[in-house]
């Protein structure tokens, strides 16, 4: 049979089944979004391909986003599923430049989860919400049979107020914009991996899990004309840059030596064969800022919590139909930054 | 970071490049054996710093790449058996067999687990006494000692529900095959430092003298690789064909004796099929007769169905240094890391994947 005559109703590539790699924040997840979700739900908000949607209700602009949290272990150095579920969604609102106000929380709990654990998770959510000034205003609870969940899954949806006139999204970036990185990379991914796999290092690596809204508010308050923001969660800096380059059709150039990765994280990456640029973070973002305001913005990032190693890491180049993200190595050579296929996998040798 | 930054230091690297420029008078084609070296070369753009007269050809030393389709099909078949647990290093999960990969086997209900060491499988076997635990033992001489150790410890501890699915390969027979090919273009080799850390340098002397080819045992950091190139070029320019050791901070001439002894006790040398290349005589390891009870292939009475590799894939030529990845018509079009046609596009250490990742 000639394969070319076959037409599949859903373009599933070579995957008849969803694999773990489809959730890894890389190319395969993008294929899922581009080939299945966007065609089904197509509208202007979705096609902006941003972390959240900005909605207009008369004179009021609101940002809305949602995220589900399935992390294992539930408690890890520097955070837990509860603080992550609050901060992660707040951060997606922050990436729209919004002031986070309200959250919903939906719990899918596996039969047999100790009540004490549920209590600790909920207390952690309460603390994170208080610290960020958001209210948990509605929720849902489901319990599934033992074996049909992984302890607890949490979904949170967030709504925030957009009280500025900027259009913060990938298509707003301009040739010449500076690319700022808000801190060092890789802490969340390595903290989770070491807790999950029992890997130990000289001292404990803590997740960078933190709310980013105050930092973004500080940039806005200082009059920084933010063009685009993106937090560096699954897929890390590499995926964020490639997504923005593709959505804005602009080439991006970054300098490897400007990107901060702690010696501990670098060591873990060397041992496990991982690329720090592809590691997940939960308290780091990149900002696209007009070149003339870059130093002023950097000063604000540096005084924010976790921002000591913030840096200007690159700039936006010319528009291009297939824009590359280029990295200049310390040796002066350049290489392309590409999104991973799925999750990073520890290498054989 | 100590022991890494020194070998990535721009000034030292610039000095090494100058020394290479000063040494070279004509064109030379060198092959780095190991996928880890290829990855470093492409990641740092080292080939672009070299004089144009030196070409680096990328060798077959990516264990994920050369593991035959049949072995992956066997691993998938084991993972889908009720009660079996198939353990593997992470990067084998994405490698396509004849129809699916281990990720898809897991999605279809197979119990596939990523481990960081074969020794982790012994604990899994203890924790699941009613189930068969199989480790997919893939790799060159570097992974063989830990795999052998897992078998030796299983025997000692009386763990009977653990076995290995072995697809181990050896470097020197592959070098022999490349040098014996009528299409060979390689004039000097950067041998794989970590393989020699285990095995030492003995096996390379006959290759160097028989084929009149310099072999420099080389490390993996940018400065290691450039020093290896410099040593190789100096040999070629002065008409020498010797075995030299660049990676002296790790490699001793005799290798790691306890590891070698363990390998020769637990394994025996066999012919092995290399994906994209074909059968190379005496190029693999299988479990020795005394350890046959730990061989998953006999334990599960599995039959190997011969699988065909895509005909438009020039992986074999790429891995023998005869072609470069981007010279393949399928490169980046029908062949990408999401849907690889051939093995070198699968692993991050494969030459095609390295070019796709860093150079399109």
């Amino acid at each position: 049979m000639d394969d070319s005559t076959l037409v599949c109703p859903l373009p599933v590539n070579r995957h008849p089944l969803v694999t773990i790699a489809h959730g890894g924040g890389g190319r395969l997840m993008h294929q899922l979004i581009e080939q299945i979700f966007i065609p089904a739900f197509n509208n202007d908000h979705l096609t902006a391909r941003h972390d959240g949607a900005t909605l207009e209700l008369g004179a009021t602009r609101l940002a809305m986003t949602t995220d589900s949290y399935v992390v294992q272990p539930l408690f890890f150095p520097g955070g837990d599923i509860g603080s992550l579920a609050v901060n992660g969604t707040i951060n997606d609102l922050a990436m729209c430049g919004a002031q986070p106000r309200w959250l919903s929380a939906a719990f899918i709990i596996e039969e047999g989860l100790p009540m004490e654990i549920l209590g600790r998770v909920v207390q952690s959510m309460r603390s994170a919400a208080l610290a960020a000034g958001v209210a948990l205003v509605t929720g849902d609870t489901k319990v599934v049979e033992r074996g049909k969940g992984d302890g607890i899954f949490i979904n949170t949806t967030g709504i925030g107020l957009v009280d500025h006139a900027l259009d913060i999204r990938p298509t707003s970036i301009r040739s010449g914009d500076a690319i700022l990185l808000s801190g060092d990379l890789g802490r969340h991914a390595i903290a989770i991996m070491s807790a999950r796999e029992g890997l130990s290092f000289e001292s404990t690596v803590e997740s960078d899990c933190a709310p980013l809204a105050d930092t973004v508010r500080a940039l806005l308050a200082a009059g920084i004309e933010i063009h685009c923001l993106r937090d560096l969660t699954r897929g890390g800096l590499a995926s964020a840059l490639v997504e923005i380059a593709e959505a804005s059709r602009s080439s991006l150039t970054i300098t490897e030596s400007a990107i901060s990765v702690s010696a501990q994280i670098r060591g873990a990456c060397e041992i496990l064969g991982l690329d720090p640029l592809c590691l997940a973070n939960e308290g780091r973002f990149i900002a696209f800022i007009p070149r003339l305001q870059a130093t002023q913005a950097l000063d604000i990032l540096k005084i924010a919590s976790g921002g000591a190693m913030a840096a200007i890491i690159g700039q936006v180049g010319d528009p291009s139909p297939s824009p590359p993200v280029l990295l200049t190595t310390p040796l002066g050579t350049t290489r392309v930054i590409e999104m991973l296929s799925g999750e990073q996998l520890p290498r054989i040798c | 970071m100590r022991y890494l930054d020194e070998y990535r230091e721009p000034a030292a690297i610039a000095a090494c490049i100058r020394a290479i420029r000063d040494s070279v008078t004509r064109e030379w084609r060198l092959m780095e054996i190991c996928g880890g070296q290829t990855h470093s070369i492409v990641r740092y753009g080292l080939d672009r710093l070299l004089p144009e007269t030196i070409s680096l050809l990328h060798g077959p030393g990516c264990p994920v790449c050369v593991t035959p389709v049949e072995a992956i099909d066997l691993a998938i078949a084991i993972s889908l058996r009720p009660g079996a647990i198939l353990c593997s290093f992470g990067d084998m999960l994405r490698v396509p067999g004849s129809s699916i990969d281990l990720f898809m086997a897991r999605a279809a209900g197979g119990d596939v687990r990523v481990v960081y060491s074969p020794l982790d499988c012994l604990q899994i076997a203890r924790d699941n006494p009613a189930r068969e635990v199989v480790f997919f033992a893939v790799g060159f001489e570097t992974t063989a000692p830990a795999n052998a150790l897992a078998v030796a410890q299983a025997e000692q501890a009386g763990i009977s529900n653990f076995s290995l699915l072995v697809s181990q390969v050896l470097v020197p027979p592959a070098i022999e095959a490349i040098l014996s090919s009528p299409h060979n273009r390689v004039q000097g080799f950067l041998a794989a430092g970590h393989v020699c850390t285990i095995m030492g340098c003995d096996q390379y002397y006959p290759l160097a003298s028989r084929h009149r080819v310099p072999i420099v045992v080389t490390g993996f950091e940018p400065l290691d690789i450039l020093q290896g190139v410099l040593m190789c070029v100096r040999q070629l320019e002065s008409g020498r064909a010797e075995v030299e050791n660049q990676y002296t901070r790790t490699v001793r001439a005799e290798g790691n004796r306890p590891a070698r002894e363990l390998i020769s006790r637990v394994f025996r040398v066999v012919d092995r099929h290399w994906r994209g290349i074909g059968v190379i005589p005496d190029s693999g390891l299988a479990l020795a007769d005394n350890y046959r009870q730990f061989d998953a292939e006999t334990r599960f009475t599995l039959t190997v169905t011969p699988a065909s590799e895509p005909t438009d894939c020039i992986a074999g030529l790429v891995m023998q240094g005869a072609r470069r990845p981007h010279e393949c018509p399928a490169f980046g079009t029908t062949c990408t890391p999401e849907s690889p046609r051939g093995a070198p596009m699968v692993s991050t250490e494969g030459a095609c994947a390295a070019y796709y990742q860093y150079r399109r």
Side-chain angles (χ1 to χ4, degrees):
Chain A
M1 189 166 30
D2 177 5
D3 283 355
S4 64
T5 61
L6 295 172
V7 179
C8 179
L10 285 176
V12 289
N13 199 341
R14 69 187 178 100
H15 292 90
L17 301 176
V18 174
T19 70
I20 272 292
H22 283 105
R27 275 287 165 215
L28 285 174
M29 198 180 85
H30 269 251
Q31 282 174 11
L32 219 57
I33 293 170
E34 297 294 331
Q35 297 175 2
I36 295 188
F37 297 131
I38 288 190
F41 306 125
N42 193 23
N43 60 55
D44 289 347
H45 298 296
L46 262 189
T47 51
R49 290 172 175 77
H50 197 38
D51 282 345
T54 304
L55 312 168
E56 290 181 16
L57 288 174
T60 311
R61 289 171 85 207
L62 296 175
M64 179 176 174
T65 191
T66 190
D67 209 335
S68 299
Y69 300 86
V70 297
V71 69
Q72 273 298 336
L74 300 178
F75 299 88
F76 48 84
D80 56 69
I81 191 169
S83 57
L84 197 59
V86 171
N87 289 334
T89 296
I90 286 174
N91 289 349
D92 281 347
L93 293 174
M95 296 303 109
C96 305
Q99 188 182 352
R101 293 291 294 273
W102 303 286
L103 286 184
S104 73
F107 298 87
I108 299 171
I109 306 166
E110 187 184 5
E111 177 185 28
L113 181 80
M115 208 56 89
E116 180 263 337
I117 294 212
L118 181 61
R120 278 167 64 196
V121 168
V122 169
Q123 278 306 315
S124 169
M125 291 178 78
R126 173 190 148 90
S127 306
L130 274 176
V134 295
L136 268 147
V137 292
T138 182
D140 179 50
T141 309
K142 295 283 185 298
V143 177
V144 295
E145 285 169 42
R146 190 187 287 272
K148 296 197 170 166
D150 202 1
I152 183 166
F153 298 147
I154 303 175
N155 169 275
T156 52
T157 294
I159 292 178
L161 285 178
V162 180
D163 53 3
H164 57 77
L166 299 172
D167 195 10
I168 297 174
R169 58 158 96 195
T171 46
S172 297
I173 71 171
R174 295 287 170 263
S175 175
D177 277 359
I179 307 172
L180 278 70
L181 169 61
S182 72
D184 63 341
L185 293 182
R187 291 182 181 275
H188 180 71
I190 297 297
I192 292 290
M193 199 176 276
S194 32
R196 196 182 287 169
E197 307 296 343
L199 308 173
S200 49
F201 302 101
E202 281 176 5
S203 57
T204 307
V205 177
E206 293 211 337
S207 168
D208 57 343
C209 179
L212 297 169
D214 285 351
T215 313
V216 174
R217 306 296 299 166
L219 290 172
L220 289 168
I224 304 291
E225 190 196 322
I226 301 170
H227 288 166
C228 187
L229 299 166
R230 183 63 55 101
D231 59 346
L232 310 178
T233 53
R234 277 171 311 172
L237 176 64
S239 271
L241 289 169
V242 173
E243 282 169 9
I244 289 174
E246 288 180 355
S248 66
R249 298 185 183 279
S250 301
S251 61
L252 309 176
T253 308
I254 57 168
T255 304
E256 191 169 18
S257 55
I259 299 165
S260 177
V261 182
S262 75
Q264 218 174 6
I265 305 293
R266 281 180 62 198
C269 286
E270 293 291 338
I271 290 166
L272 297 168
L274 305 174
D275 183 346
L277 301 191
C278 299
L279 293 179
N281 311 273
E282 287 295 341
R284 301 288 182 262
F285 67 100
I286 47 173
F288 293 75
I289 308 277
R291 192 165 45 87
L292 291 176
Q293 291 185 313
T295 326
Q296 187 194 353
L298 179 62
D299 290 341
I300 295 168
L301 293 184
K302 274 185 172 296
I303 56 168
S305 168
M309 304 310 289
I312 299 169
I313 61 162
Q315 62 280 325
V316 178
D318 294 329
S320 152
S322 57
V325 179
L326 293 174
L327 173 142
T328 306
T329 73
L331 309 183
T333 52
T334 57
R335 69 170 190 258
V336 173
I337 296 288
E338 181 47 69
M339 207 183 275
L340 288 176
S341 175
E343 281 182 76
Q344 288 201 92
L345 300 169
R347 288 207 310 264
I348 285 180
C349 65
Chain B
M1 191 166 19
R2 280 185 72 198
Y3 309 121
L4 275 182
D5 291 340
E6 301 90 316
Y7 302 98
R8 298 176 183 178
E9 217 270 301
I13 283 164
C16 196
I17 294 286
R18 277 197 301 278
I20 294 169
R21 286 189 187 281
D22 292 344
S23 306
V24 67
T25 63
R26 47 165 290 194
E27 291 189 6
W28 298 111
R29 289 183 301 275
L30 314 181
M31 172 179 278
E32 82 279 358
I33 286 292
C34 179
Q37 294 165 329
T38 304
H39 187 79
S40 252
I41 288 165
V42 183
R43 180 182 165 90
Y44 291 98
L46 302 180
D47 49 337
R48 291 175 172 170
L49 296 172
L50 290 170
E52 279 179 11
T53 47
I54 298 178
S55 334
L56 293 179
L57 306 174
H58 312 307
C62 161
V64 176
C65 299
V66 300
T67 301
V69 175
E70 291 85 356
I72 295 159
D73 285 348
L74 282 177
I76 290 165
I78 291 171
S79 78
L80 291 171
R81 287 198 170 205
I85 301 172
L86 192 280
C87 303
S88 171
F89 291 133
D91 49 357
M92 282 309 297
L93 267 59
R94 213 167 13 222
V95 190
S98 55
S99 60
I100 60 171
D101 61 30
L102 282 164
F103 268 128
M104 294 186 230
R106 188 155 83 180
D111 192 344
V112 179
R113 301 188 189 180
V114 172
V115 293
Y116 292 85
S117 160
L119 299 173
D120 296 345
C121 302
L122 300 183
Q123 191 56 46
I124 296 174
R126 283 191 197 96
D127 295 344
N128 297 274
R131 302 180 66 183
E132 283 290 333
V133 177
V134 181
F135 181 66
F136 195 8
V138 169
F140 284 86
E141 291 92 324
T142 35
T143 59
N147 293 341
L149 190 63
V151 168
Q153 288 191 357
E155 186 194 38
Q156 205 168 21
I159 298 172
S160 59
N161 61 328
F162 168 73
S163 59
L164 289 187
L165 176 63
V166 184
S167 189
Q168 297 275 166
V169 279
L170 302 170
V171 166
I175 296 184
E176 175 68 44
I178 289 166
L179 288 170
S180 305
S181 160
H183 308 294
N184 174 46
R185 301 160 67 211
V186 183
Q187 295 165 299
F189 284 94
L190 309 185
H194 290 159
V195 167
C196 298
T197 305
I198 305 294
M199 302 304 290
C201 306
D202 304 353
Q203 296 169 309
Y204 297 89
Y205 291 100
L207 286 169
S209 60
R210 191 160 63 242
H211 294 282
R212 296 281 316 140
V213 61
I215 300 177
V216 180
V217 176
T218 303
F220 301 84
E221 292 302 317
L223 191 57
D224 288 322
I225 291 166
L226 293 174
Q227 272 180 352
V229 169
L230 176 63
M231 289 163 79
C232 212
V233 164
R234 282 182 173 159
Q235 284 203 46
L236 288 164
E237 290 283 347
S238 59
R240 290 180 291 131
E242 298 165 5
V243 176
E244 287 183 297
N245 182 7
Q246 179 277 328
Y247 204 33
T248 49
R249 67 182 183 280
T250 307
V251 177
R252 284 168 293 166
E254 74 279 13
N256 180 330
R257 270 190 209 283
R260 287 176 73 169
E261 281 161 17
L262 191 61
I263 293 172
S264 56
R265 177 154 69 88
V266 173
F267 291 117
R268 64 193 163 95
V269 174
V270 294
D271 296 350
R272 192 56 84 190
H273 180 208
W274 294 51
R275 189 173 190 161
I277 295 175
V279 174
I280 303 178
D282 294 333
S283 69
L285 297 173
L287 284 163
D289 287 344
N290 288 342
Y291 292 92
R292 180 165 276 168
Q293 70 271 30
F294 293 102
D295 188 343
E297 287 191 60
T298 53
R299 186 171 297 200
F300 287 89
T301 56
L302 297 157
T303 45
V304 186
T305 316
S308 59
E309 292 170 22
T311 49
D312 61 344
C313 173
I314 62 165
L317 294 172
V318 170
M319 288 191 284
Q320 292 171 79
R323 295 278 193 84
R324 287 181 182 282
H326 55 269
E327 289 166 15
C328 176
F331 177 79
T333 54
T334 57
C335 182
T336 64
E338 287 77 53
S339 55
R341 300 288 288 166
M345 187 56 98
V346 174
S347 165
T348 48
E349 295 196 0
C352 298
Y355 273 63
Y356 186 88
Q357 182 83 14
Y358 295 133
R359 298 241 145 122
R360 266 168 317 133

